[in-house]
């Protein structure tokens, strides 16, 4: 990505109070963009949004993506050139308990945002953040390419597949014939990890919670292979893609995978063992004997398109990513300035070359 591109750009992030939204907001603030955010309050306590004082450097508005009028007002008041849509009910397990809320937020929330964009002027780029789980997972060994069918077994995954279909329909119906000069794309990344995630039922926050309470980590699905990557990797991809969408226009509109390197796909049990090694202090784990809800076993992304057309590639290997995040939580526990520490990780990352 090109840091100069972002100076004084008006950027709206939905879901800026969440884990990825907070990292992205801090990064964009630091690049000199005028950042606005529209979201419900931070979904966890504690949260990166509060711990790193993210609101300080941006125009933060509490709002619901299920509220079309609220979104229209937001666009009118902050007049963004670029929108990165991250607001979502982002947890697979919650989606089993709350399917209506999940679809309302993830599908109708996307419809509402695109509808608000359709009735506004000046938006040049919309990037919709969906998920690797949007694909119809055949549980095979091959990686998924952008042109493969959408699907999703559980409500969360299926809602992300639906959000992709909505994005495509809006692009083809309203944003492709020059009627509106706005490039519309979507981005699919794997399970992201990094400091500041305190979500329930996500592996890394569950491990960190156990570490900090000096209790044994309980893991489900030890052999499940997930495409792990540090949160800064897909964010770097999103920023690079947006620059290209602004400069090359609709040529870059469409779906994009930003997956981890092949070695980034490792079993849950391997991750836990690595983190125990990095944390020390007598940390340990055991397997959860309970019955588990269905979770897809194997899902690999093919990121050749992003590598070839954007020059995007991961910078951190999985061991480094785990070290960075474990260090982040250790520093946080010491009561350090997490705004400054998070920015220091962003700086280090930004100045690294690709592997
Ligand atoms: N974390 C991951 O591993 C991962 C992987 C792939 C894709 N994603 C996607 O990336 C995006 C961000 O994920 P995250 O991990 O930061 O999630 P998160 O749960 O930490 O944050 C979600 C954000 O959405 C907001 N939100 C939820 N419902 C809302 C509503 N009705 N109206 C307005 N705002 C609402 C929350 O307030 C929060 O700001 C999501 O779209 C998620 O599906 C995440």
């Amino acid at each position: 990505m090109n840091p100069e591109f972002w100076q004084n750009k008006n950027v709206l992030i939905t879901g800026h109070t969440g884990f990825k939204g907070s990292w992205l907001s801090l990064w964009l603030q630091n690049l000199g963009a005028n950042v606005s955010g529209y979201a419900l309050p931070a979904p966890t306590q504690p949260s990166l949004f509060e711990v790193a004082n993210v609101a300080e450097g941006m125009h933060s508005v509490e709002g619901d993506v299920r509220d079309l009028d609220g979104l229209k007002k937001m666009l009118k008041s902050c007049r963004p050139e670029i929108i990165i849509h991250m607001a979502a009910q982002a947890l697979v397990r919650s989606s089993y308990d709350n399917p209506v809320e999940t679809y309302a937020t993830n599908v109708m929330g996307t419809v509402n945002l695109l509808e608000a964009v359709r009735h506004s002027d000046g938006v040049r780029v919309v990037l919709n953040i969906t998920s690797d789980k949007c694909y119809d997972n055949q549980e095979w060994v091959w990686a998924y390419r952008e042109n493969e069918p959408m699907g999703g077994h559980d409500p969360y995954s299926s809602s992300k597949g639906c959000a992709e279909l909505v994005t495509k329909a809006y692009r083809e119906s309203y944003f492709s014939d020059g009627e509106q000069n706005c490039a519309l794309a979507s981005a699919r990344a794997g399970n992201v990890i990094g400091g500041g995630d305190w979500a329930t039922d996500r592996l890394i926050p569950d491990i960190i919670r156990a570490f900090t309470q000096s209790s044994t980590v309980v893991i489900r699905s030890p052999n499940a292979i997930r495409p792990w990557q540090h949160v800064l990797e897909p964010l770097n991809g999103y920023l690079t893609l947006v620059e290209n969408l602004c400069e090359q226009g609709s040529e870059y509109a469409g779906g994009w995978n930003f997956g981890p390197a092949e070695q980034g796909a490792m079993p849950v049990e391997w991750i836990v063992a690595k983190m125990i090694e990095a944390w020390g202090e007598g940390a340990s784990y055991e397997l959860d004997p309970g019955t588990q809800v269905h979770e897809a076993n194997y899902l690999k992304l093919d990121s050749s398109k992003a590598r070839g057309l954007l020059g995007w590639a991961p910078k951190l290997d999985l061991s480094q990513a785990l070290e960075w995040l474990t260090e982040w939580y250790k520093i946080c526990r010491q009561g350090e300035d997490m705004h400054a520490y998070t920015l220091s990780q962003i700086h280090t990352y930004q100045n690294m070359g690709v592997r």
Side-chain angles (χ1 to χ4, degrees), residues 132-133 137 139-144 189-193 203 219-229 260-272 294-301 318:
D132 57 355
K133 297 187 174 68
N137 188 352
E139 309 235 354
W140 59 29
V141 295
W142 301 288
Y144 290 80
N191 288 13
V192 294
I193 55 178
L203 180 68
I219 56 169
R220 53 176 203 261
S221 319
N223 302 321
I225 293 177
R226 297 272 179 266
W228 306 97
Q229 59 186 341
E262 185 88 353
Q263 314 86 286
M266 294 298 283
V268 166
E269 199 163 11
W270 184 91
I271 302 282
V272 179
H294 174 277
E295 281 189 66
N297 258 330
Y298 201 93
L299 208 157
K300 209 172 2 164
L301 290 177
L318 185 54

Side-chain angles (χ1 to χ4, degrees), residues 186-346:
S186 59
R188 305 146 188 181
N191 288 13
V192 294
I193 55 178
D197 191 0
W198 277 283
T200 43
D201 280 332
R202 267 191 199 154
L203 180 68
I204 301 294
D206 285 349
I207 295 173
I208 294 292
R209 263 187 293 274
F211 284 175
T212 48
Q213 293 158 9
S214 303
S215 55
T216 303
V217 180
V218 180
I219 56 169
R220 53 176 203 261
S221 319
N223 302 321
I225 293 177
R226 297 272 179 266
W228 306 97
Q229 59 186 341
H230 194 274
V231 59
L232 290 170
E233 307 279 23
L235 297 186
N236 183 34
Y238 303 163
L239 296 180
T240 310
L241 173 57
V242 168
E243 287 168 25
N244 279 274
L245 286 161
C246 268
E247 276 155 13
Q248 325 287 337
S250 51
E251 217 181 295
Y252 281 71
W256 294 80
N257 289 343
F258 295 100
E262 185 88 353
Q263 314 86 286
M266 294 298 283
V268 166
E269 199 163 11
W270 184 91
I271 302 282
V272 179
K274 273 267 171 207
M275 285 185 64
I276 283 176
E277 196 183 306
W279 189 267
E281 300 178 26
S284 61
Y285 76 92
E286 64 186 26
L287 303 182
D288 183 351
T291 318
Q292 304 302 331
V293 293
H294 174 277
E295 281 189 66
N297 258 330
Y298 201 93
L299 208 157
K300 209 172 2 164
L301 290 177
D302 180 333
S303 307
S304 313
K305 183 178 166 188
R307 277 179 189 271
L309 297 181
L310 302 175
W312 173 87
K315 297 185 181 189
L316 299 170
D317 66 28
L318 185 54
S319 299
Q320 280 173 305
L322 291 171
E323 279 161 26
W324 280 34
L325 80 89
T326 308
E327 194 58 22
W328 192 100
Y329 287 104
K330 278 186 165 176
I331 299 279
C332 185
R333 199 162 64 138
Q334 290 160 14
E336 299 287 327
D337 176 349
M338 295 318 289
H339 183 93
Y341 188 71
T342 308
L343 282 180
S344 76
Q345 288 200 333
I346 291 173

Side-chain angles (χ1 to χ4, degrees), residues 40-259:
L40 293 179
T44 59
Q45 186 56 255
S47 67
L48 177 60
F49 186 70
E50 276 158 21
V51 167
N53 216 354
V54 176
E56 189 183 64
M58 67 189 294
H59 172 54
S60 172
V61 172
E62 188 176 323
D64 195 320
V65 291
R66 291 166 293 184
D67 172 9
L68 175 59
D69 287 339
L71 279 166
K72 281 184 176 169
K73 279 187 200 132
M74 184 69 191
L75 263 60
K76 213 170 179 180
S77 72
C78 70
R79 302 196 61 77
E81 304 163 74
I82 295 161
I83 301 178
I84 303 179
H85 177 47
M86 291 193 162
Q89 192 302 98
L91 299 170
V92 173
R93 286 196 154 214
S94 296
S95 81
Y96 277 103
D97 295 336
N98 304 300
V100 175
E101 186 199 330
T102 302
Y103 283 108
T105 302
N106 298 0
V107 185
M108 282 315 293
T110 303
V111 172
N112 289 338
L113 176 75
L114 297 177
E115 191 59 16
V117 170
R118 189 163 85 85
H119 292 288
S120 72
D121 295 321
V123 181
R124 293 169 65 197
V125 168
V126 180
L127 178 59
N128 183 21
I129 306 308
T130 63
S131 168
D132 57 355
K133 297 187 174 68
C134 68
Y135 291 107
D136 184 20
N137 188 352
Q138 309 284 333
E139 309 235 354
W140 59 29
V141 295
W142 301 288
Y144 290 80
R145 289 187 296 203
E146 284 86 350
N147 55 0
E148 290 191 75
M150 296 294 116
H153 176 109
D154 60 89
Y156 169 75
S157 305
S158 134
S159 76
K160 288 293 182 174
C162 294
E164 283 283 349
L165 297 176
V166 167
T167 309
K168 186 169 184 285
Y170 262 77
R171 182 171 51 245
E172 288 172 0
S173 305
Y174 306 112
F175 297 105
S176 64
D177 59 359
E179 177 195 328
Q180 202 145 359
N181 189 19
C182 175
L184 183 49
S186 59
R188 305 146 188 181
N191 288 13
V192 294
I193 55 178
D197 191 0
W198 277 283
T200 43
D201 280 332
R202 267 191 199 154
L203 180 68
I204 301 294
D206 285 349
I207 295 173
I208 294 292
R209 263 187 293 274
F211 284 175
T212 48
Q213 293 158 9
S214 303
S215 55
T216 303
V217 180
V218 180
I219 56 169
R220 53 176 203 261
S221 319
N223 302 321
I225 293 177
R226 297 272 179 266
W228 306 97
Q229 59 186 341
H230 194 274
V231 59
L232 290 170
E233 307 279 23
L235 297 186
N236 183 34
Y238 303 163
L239 296 180
T240 310
L241 173 57
V242 168
E243 287 168 25
N244 279 274
L245 286 161
C246 268
E247 276 155 13
Q248 325 287 337
S250 51
E251 217 181 295
Y252 281 71
W256 294 80
N257 289 343
F258 295 100

